Amino acid sequence: MPRADFDAVTIEDVARRAAVSRATAARVLAGHSNVSPSARQRVMAAAAELGYVANPIARALATGQGNRVVIGVVSPRPTVVVDAYLGRVVGTAARMCSEAGMGVGLQALPLDGGVPLVKLAQDRAVRGLLMVNTTDSILRAMPGSLSRRVVSIGVGSAQVPSIDVDNGAGATAIIRHLYESGRRRISMVGGPPWLPCTARPLLAYRRLMQEYGLAERSLAGDFTADNGRAAAHEVMRRWPGTDAIYAICDDAALGVIKGLQEQGIDVPGDVAVAGFDDTPQAELAYPPLTTASHPVELITEAAVTTLLASGPARPLDRAFQPELVLRQSA
Amino acid sequence: MPRADFDAVTIEDVARRAAVSRATAARVLAGHSNVSPSARQRVMAAAAELGYVANPIARALATGQGNRVVIGVVSPRPTVVVDAYLGRVVGTAARMCSEAGMGVGLQALPLDGGVPLVKLAQDRAVRGLLMVNTTDSILRAMPGSLSRRVVSIGVGSAQVPSIDVDNGAGATAIIRHLYESGRRRISMVGGPPWLPCTARPLLAYRRLMQEYGLAERSLAGDFTADNGRAAAHEVMRRWPGTDAIYAICDDAALGVIKGLQEQGIDVPGDVAVAGFDDTPQAELAYPPLTTASHPVELITEAAVTTLLASGPARPLDRAFQPELVLRQSA
DNA sequence: CTGAAAGCGCTTACAG
DNA sequence: CTGAAAGCGCTTACAG
């Protein structure tokens, strides 16, 4: 049998030294109140003297709770691409989980969950699932054994709470700004059609175009700068008069600026460009990018907190409000 | 006692169904060869029919191995800031660990390791430690119980293997390029003095300046764009004739460009700017940034692989070679 | 090749 | 308030 290292102090050692049973030592260490002051004191002293540190693995096995939070990235591709956004989510989750003595996993999930979702549900080490890029079909496919252990950064359902930015409100604020600063031929570079949460900005765009009596000129996209760049060419080809482009995220917006500049089009002189997210790059861009804030770290923290606190009741949905950040590009 | 969910199939169930002992079932499932074909077959069939999935927590407890890889970020600050670089490291590590049924943690570590390092060494759930921004003092303080479980993305030691990019070679290639394209007053914006791995680029810079018979003009920095921006002002104030700035990383270089443009200085007309990393932003910058590649994902993969494969022998150090990426900024 | 048994280090009803 | 005991679900010497 495997021998632990030289310094593996167990609760057994603490109990012996404090002259109590293992059960009593466990109670003290767990902070229960039904222990005599003297026993409590001896256990605390023994634990301190021995430098006792509980084995989280043993605890996890005994309590039946997993010690890994998995970030499930819904994606048409079988392998996760870690872009800047996902890096922020994973990094923040890892920092938080670490404090709680847990780890973070990262897993690609087909749009409908598929086999990977079933495997996740069966994995007894999984404490919770944090979904990113959630689809409606994966929400429908959510195994019951995962209930009260799932949170979505994106759309939610009756079972799964949604904790996300209110990107509909963000889109509205940005597009209103474009209109109010005199733009009248406003295009939109959106997200992937299969991703429900991108419907909100698109809907906001459509509503406003209708309200303003302007024509709709929108393209689907995929959040990347490369796509934004290509979209800038496509937009100007299809709608030559365009005087403003709203992109679904900053990465795409930066690509749009690049693509416009390649055509000799001045930003914002000829075409105003606005993004969404207020990433660190937005300020460094040339021209500095007008956008709306997206508190990715706060959202992730809220999601992880919810997951780790999971009780019997379904947690409430939360929508974080973006703020307009005006710079020079629009 | 906690009841497992409805569908918790254990190895006990598999053994019973296959009419063998738990030990035999375990052997088959572990892929050992000392099992009769018929027993093997029955166990495999039973496991498949029951949909058996081993409980990783129980396995971890029995084998005494942790199931979390911790990324220790050495830093003067008590809390980890997840920048784009770290996001790539954590994301990649999480993806890999997830495949191995493990999780990733993220922990700030004082320059000398301090209490957090001791706690990490005591945590029985920690399978390995991946150090980022490694200092010499933390290498000296490395607890023996962590040996063969640590890898450094940065400087290493006799105990701790180093898996990193050869940033000295990268710096040399970049600075040579600046010189060969006619620049003669070359400044450098470096990294934090407490971080040993930033000594290599600085040393490369000094050697080349000496070789070329040029004056040294270097500033320490902190890898951020804000710092690069401020450094651009400082450089031009202290050394007005500067015609090229090499920054230790792309983020800083992007800040440098920004800071130069603020002063009405043309890049690369008046001052050439080069970075290091070839981040996704480098290509989108205006002007597109000349830099050298830094395969962060490959390095992280190598580090995690090394950690998970940890055997009795000290793994070899590895240095990844950067490649010069010429764009318009220099 | 196989099984009975001990062990990993906790937690938590149960019965005082 | 406390202890003896069972249990979490595996792995692995040990003795056939």
Side-chain angles (χ1 to χ4, degrees):
Chain A
M1 59 229 66
R3 281 279 75 219
D5 282 340
F6 44 91
D7 61 351
V9 176
T10 73
I11 199 172
E12 189 75 60
D13 301 320
V14 173
R16 196 178 314 121
R17 172 153 205 159
V20 299
S21 71
R22 214 186 324 149
T24 297
R27 285 184 199 108
V28 172
L29 266 9
H32 293 175
S33 56
N34 51 347
V35 184
S36 71
S38 96
R40 170 178 310 280
Q41 196 178 322
R42 279 179 327 210
V43 170
M44 296 303 272
E49 287 159 18
L50 261 27
Y52 172 70
V53 178
N55 181 333
I57 302 276
R59 176 144 25 200
L61 180 59
T63 60
Q65 293 199 306
N67 67 348
R68 189 164 98 247
V69 168
V70 173
I71 298 177
V73 183
V74 185
S75 160
R77 273 176 308 227
T79 166
V80 186
V81 175
V82 181
D83 62 10
Y85 168 73
L86 193 53
R88 290 167 72 184
V89 173
V90 179
T92 303
R95 172 156 44 75
M96 291 188 70
C97 286
S98 224
E99 284 171 26
M102 316 220 305
V104 162
L106 185 58
Q107 173 74 238
L109 255 23
L111 303 199
D112 63 353
V115 174
L117 182 61
V118 173
K119 288 204 168 165
L120 236 38
Q122 290 180 138
D123 187 336
R124 315 295 300 180
V126 174
R127 172 68 166 268
L129 173 61
L130 197 172
M131 290 206 301
V132 172
N133 289 357
T134 315
T135 58
D136 291 313
S137 62
I138 206 173
L139 287 171
R140 278 192 298 271
M142 197 56 56
S145 59
L146 239 24
S147 74
R148 299 289 166 274
R149 291 196 289 157
V150 194
V151 155
S152 167
I153 297 186
V155 295
S157 70
Q159 283 60 250
V160 179
S162 157
I163 298 187
D164 202 359
V165 67
D166 186 347
N167 55 5
T172 299
I174 290 166
I175 297 164
R176 278 201 193 287
H177 165 73
L178 293 173
Y179 183 83
E180 283 163 11
S181 54
R183 309 290 169 165
R184 289 297 178 272
R185 280 150 306 186
I186 304 171
S187 287
M188 170 168 178
V189 175
W194 57 264
L195 187 55
C197 65
T198 65
R200 295 186 300 236
L202 184 57
L203 202 63
Y205 169 78
R206 289 188 173 148
R207 280 220 187 96
L208 286 172
M209 290 306 104
Q210 197 142 32
E211 177 185 327
Y212 296 143
L214 301 178
E216 277 182 36
R217 322 167 146 198
S218 79
L219 252 36
D222 67 3
F223 295 133
T224 68
D226 277 350
N227 173 260
R229 193 171 176 170
H233 289 272
E234 174 77 0
V235 163
M236 298 316 288
R237 195 182 61 69
R238 289 175 55 176
W239 305 295
T242 297
D243 62 5
I245 300 179
Y246 157 57
I248 189 112
C249 69
D250 284 1
D251 280 355
L254 262 27
V256 165
I257 290 180
K258 182 93 182 170
L260 290 173
Q261 288 169 344
E262 284 168 353
Q263 301 172 72
I265 296 172
D266 183 62
V267 178
D270 301 323
V271 179
V273 176
F276 182 84
D277 279 344
D278 194 23
T279 61
Q281 284 72 47
E283 195 188 352
L284 293 170
Y286 186 85
L289 187 67
T290 286
T291 184
S293 61
H294 178 179
V296 176
E297 283 73 17
L298 294 181
I299 291 170
T300 305
E301 283 169 13
V304 172
T305 300
T306 300
L307 236 28
L308 297 187
S310 76
R314 176 186 183 285
L316 295 175
D317 292 335
R318 292 188 57 181
F320 286 73
Q321 291 309 310
E323 272 176 36
L324 199 54
V325 179
L326 297 178
R327 295 203 182 90
Q328 277 81 68
S329 71
Chain B
M1 61 226 68
R3 283 277 77 218
D5 282 340
F6 44 90
D7 61 350
V9 176
T10 73
I11 198 172
E12 189 75 59
D13 301 321
V14 174
R16 195 177 314 120
R17 174 153 202 157
V20 298
S21 70
R22 215 187 322 151
T24 297
R27 286 185 198 106
V28 172
L29 266 9
H32 293 175
S33 56
N34 51 349
V35 183
S36 71
S38 96
R40 171 178 309 282
Q41 197 179 320
R42 277 176 324 193
V43 170
M44 296 302 273
E49 288 159 17
L50 260 28
Y52 172 69
V53 178
N55 181 332
I57 301 275
R59 174 141 31 198
L61 180 60
T63 61
Q65 294 199 307
N67 67 349
R68 189 164 98 245
V69 167
V70 173
I71 298 178
V73 183
V74 185
S75 159
R77 273 176 307 227
T79 167
V80 186
V81 176
V82 182
D83 61 11
Y85 167 74
L86 193 54
R88 290 167 72 184
V89 173
V90 179
T92 303
R95 172 155 46 74
M96 293 188 69
C97 285
S98 224
E99 284 172 24
M102 316 220 305
V104 163
L106 185 58
Q107 173 72 238
L109 255 24
L111 304 198
D112 64 352
V115 174
L117 182 61
V118 173
K119 288 203 169 167
L120 235 37
Q122 291 180 138
D123 188 335
R124 317 295 302 179
V126 174
R127 171 68 164 268
L129 174 61
L130 197 172
M131 290 206 300
V132 173
N133 290 358
T134 315
T135 58
D136 292 313
S137 61
I138 207 174
L139 287 171
R140 280 193 298 273
M142 197 56 57
S145 60
L146 239 23
S147 73
R148 299 289 167 275
R149 290 196 290 156
V150 193
V151 155
S152 167
I153 297 187
V155 295
S157 70
Q159 284 56 254
V160 178
S162 157
I163 298 186
D164 202 0
V165 68
D166 186 347
N167 56 3
T172 299
I174 291 166
I175 298 166
R176 278 202 193 288
H177 166 73
L178 293 174
Y179 183 83
E180 283 162 10
S181 54
R183 309 290 169 164
R184 289 299 179 269
R185 281 152 305 187
I186 304 171
S187 286
M188 169 167 178
V189 176
W194 58 263
L195 187 55
C197 65
T198 65
R200 295 187 300 237
L202 184 57
L203 203 63
Y205 169 77
R206 289 189 173 148
R207 280 218 187 97
L208 286 173
M209 291 304 104
Q210 197 142 31
E211 176 185 327
Y212 296 145
L214 301 179
E216 277 181 34
R217 321 168 148 199
S218 79
L219 251 38
D222 67 3
F223 296 133
T224 67
D226 278 348
N227 172 261
R229 192 170 177 172
H233 289 271
E234 175 76 0
V235 163
M236 298 317 287
R237 194 182 61 70
R238 287 176 56 176
W239 306 294
T242 297
D243 62 6
I245 299 179
Y246 157 57
I248 188 112
C249 69
D250 284 0
D251 280 355
L254 262 25
V256 165
I257 290 179
K258 181 94 181 168
L260 289 173
Q261 288 169 345
E262 284 168 354
Q263 303 171 72
I265 296 172
D266 183 61
V267 179
D270 302 322
V271 178
V273 177
F276 183 85
D277 279 344
D278 194 22
T279 60
Q281 285 71 47
E283 195 188 353
L284 293 171
Y286 186 85
L289 186 67
T290 286
T291 185
S293 61
H294 178 180
V296 176
E297 283 74 17
L298 294 180
I299 292 170
T300 304
E301 282 169 14
V304 172
T305 301
T306 301
L307 235 30
L308 297 187
S310 77
R314 177 186 182 285
L316 295 175
D317 292 334
R318 291 188 59 181
F320 286 73
Q321 292 307 311
E323 273 177 35
L324 199 53
V325 180
L326 297 178
R327 295 203 182 91
Q328 278 80 70
S329 71

